Amino acid sequence: MDAARALQVYRQQESFGAAEDLQHALDLLDAARRGTLGPSLRVYRPQPTVAFGQRDARLPGFPDAAAACRDLGFEPLVRKAGGRAAAYHGGCLILDHIEPEPNAVAHSLARFAGFAELLAGALQDAGVPAGVGEIPGEYCPGEYSVHGGTGARIKLVGTAQRVVSGAWLFSSVVVIEDSAPLREVLSAVYKALWLDWDPSTAGAAEDLRPGLRVSEAEDALLAAYGRYAPLEHGDPSRLLQIVADGPGTVLPTTAQSR
């Protein structure tokens, strides 16, 4: 993969809040559609969140699942893009990659495949055995999940994509540290929703490479993105200004998950 222009990297130092972080990504997508934001990569550590898919919210067990999240210290949200429930917290990194593109829908499948390989390669560079592909029983299953391990495998990265006329957003959740709370809340959620899954598939990169910290994984991820496009480090306050100056409305979209 390559890019015609440099990718501006914006390191968000603090979470705005679980719901606000999700909305900010959509606002940035709208800014790219309007032409006020160029190719950008927003990186941040999220607050404890369980992001449900639209199908989850229609299941009879959803109220119980949401209550279980709150009992365990996670905020339940329903996202506009993505499949089944996924959990993340401060031991994870979220990378929101936004780019304007005239025919954004044309390469959506190629993005899933290409960025999955990029993310797996970054984890390999950090000393984590990683590959691409759905693993049996994983939470929020997807064809392009990034998994780790050589025997019993665990899910390390989930991705989702949102496309509007003239721009796209590709979001990746990389699980690096502290997998136990994620496994606990996902177990409670999937039980309430009556969905089958294998709790052993929930893990973190540090389970496979002990001692790995979020900061080290972030360095490897940015190095991998540096092979995708030249990187320039931007001021995160610019993103807030861009959003504040715009209408804050995202057009109807096609939501996908892999």
Side-chain angles (χ1 to χ4, degrees), residues 31-149:
R33 177 192 64 81
R34 290 184 281 109
T36 57
L37 180 71
S40 302
L41 183 68
R42 171 192 177 216
V43 183
Y44 68 98
R45 297 177 70 165
Q47 292 191 5
T49 306
V50 174
F52 291 88
Q54 298 285 333
R55 288 180 297 167
D56 297 328
R58 294 191 288 267
L59 294 176
F62 177 71
D64 289 340
C69 293
R70 295 188 181 96
D71 289 345
L72 292 169
F74 284 75
E75 181 69 19
L77 298 174
V78 179
R79 62 183 183 270
K80 290 182 171 60
R84 292 296 189 185
Y88 46 86
H89 57 20
C92 304
L93 271 180
I94 293 184
L95 299 95
D96 287 332
H97 184 176
I98 304 108
E99 293 204 30
E101 186 172 326
N103 190 8
V105 72
H107 304 106
S108 56
L109 186 59
R111 279 184 217 113
F112 275 120
F115 287 123
E117 292 293 344
L118 183 153
L119 295 164
L123 290 173
Q124 291 166 9
D125 291 343
V128 181
V132 177
E134 184 175 344
I135 53 176
E138 70 177 353
Y139 65 92
C140 193
E143 182 181 354
Y144 296 105
S145 294
V146 176
H147 58 253

Side-chain angles (χ1 to χ4, degrees), residues 14 65 69 132 168 173 175-176 209 211 221 255:
E14 295 183 2
C69 293
V132 177
W168 51 264
V173 179
V175 185
I176 302 158
R209 212 222 77 182
L221 289 161

